[in-house]
């Protein structure tokens, strides 16, 4: 499989610190650092990194197993 990442211009993530997870040309998720306004609004004192990934397609390409 071909793995790559691209920029992600979606809030509440900082665009300069974010990307999409792309597998075989299909976007399956994203990752990034939370925007400073979100961190401030929730009175968080440390940077937060978040991600989301749809792994359902991996099972299909690995004979029903993701491990």
């Amino acid at each position: 499989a071909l793995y790559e990442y691209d920029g992600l211009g979606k809030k509440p993530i900082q665009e300069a610190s974010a990307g999409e997870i792309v597998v075989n040309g299909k976007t399956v998720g994203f990752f990034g650092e939370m925007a400073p306004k979100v961190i401030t609004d929730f009175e968080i004192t440390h940077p937060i990194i978040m991600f989301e990934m749809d792994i359902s397609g991996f099972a299909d390409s690995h004979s029903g197993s993701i491990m």
Side-chain angles (χ1 to χ4, degrees), residues 6-65:
D6 249 335
L8 184 68
K10 295 182 180 177
K11 296 179 182 177
I13 299 173
Q14 295 188 57
E15 185 174 349
S17 302
E20 290 184 329
I21 303 165
V22 180
V23 178
N24 293 328
K26 180 181 176 189
T27 300
V28 296
F30 68 90
F31 62 91
E33 185 175 344
M34 296 292 281
K37 175 147 177 48
V38 175
I39 291 172
T40 303
D41 288 351
F42 285 97
E43 300 178 1
I44 299 170
T45 59
H46 303 292
I48 302 289
I49 305 297
M50 62 178 290
F51 79 96
E52 178 179 294
M53 190 164 137
D54 177 3
I55 64 168
S56 62
F58 289 100
D60 295 338
S61 63
H62 293 90
S63 302
S65 172

